[in-house]
Amino acid sequence: MKNKKTLVLGASTKPDRYAYMAITKLVEKGHPVLAIGQNAGEVAGVKIQTKAIPLKNIDTVTLYLNPARQRDYYNYIVEAKPKRVIFNPGTENPEFYQLLQLNDIKVEVACTLVLLTTSQY
């Protein structure tokens, strides 16, 4: 398994949040992680940024933002040209699926934590 540079969008420093758990599990599995969230902080040694940061060689973007909040990031994600975007439960967004597919970016409606736990990431 090769390590996949991942952006967690909607990151949180609250341990009961799935985004927090995803960052922790990604780091445990050896994946390089970038994180953007509403509040700055740190999870498992990963600094959470509060503004869009330059992205290079991103394999995966995993979303923890509801569809309305995703709109602000449409162009940002498309321009980063990740191989795939994972829509975790509660983030499903058919409008965004179309935009990503038009730009040859794979859409995956799945749970990052399940994919990591079952070695399907």
Side-chain angles (χ1 to χ4, degrees), residues 7 9 52 55 61 63 65-82 85 87 91-103 105:
L7 170 66
L9 196 50
L55 300 175
V61 173
L63 294 174
L65 291 176
N66 70 47
R69 299 227 14 248
Q70 291 170 22
R71 281 193 195 99
D72 293 339
Y73 293 97
Y74 283 7
N75 290 337
Y76 178 66
I77 292 170
V78 168
E79 288 169 14
K81 295 181 176 66
V85 174
F87 289 82
T91 67
E92 298 87 352
N93 184 349
E95 175 184 270
F96 197 15
Y97 302 165
Q98 284 186 309
L99 178 62
L100 292 167
Q101 290 166 337
L102 285 170
N103 286 278
I105 298 168

Side-chain angles (χ1 to χ4, degrees), residues 7-62:
L7 170 66
V8 176
L9 196 50
S12 173
T13 57
K14 296 177 183 170
D16 61 330
R17 299 291 179 131
Y18 289 110
Y20 178 101
M21 294 177 216
I23 293 169
T24 304
K25 189 88 128 156
L26 284 159
V27 169
E28 268 176 33
K29 298 272 187 177
H31 297 286
V33 179
L34 299 171
I36 298 175
Q38 222 172 340
N39 300 307
E42 195 171 305
V43 175
V46 176
K47 285 193 190 309
I48 298 175
Q49 307 295 323
T50 56
K51 294 188 170 94
I53 51 177
L55 300 175
K56 285 189 181 140
N57 305 317
I58 292 288
D59 180 89
T60 303
V61 173
T62 184

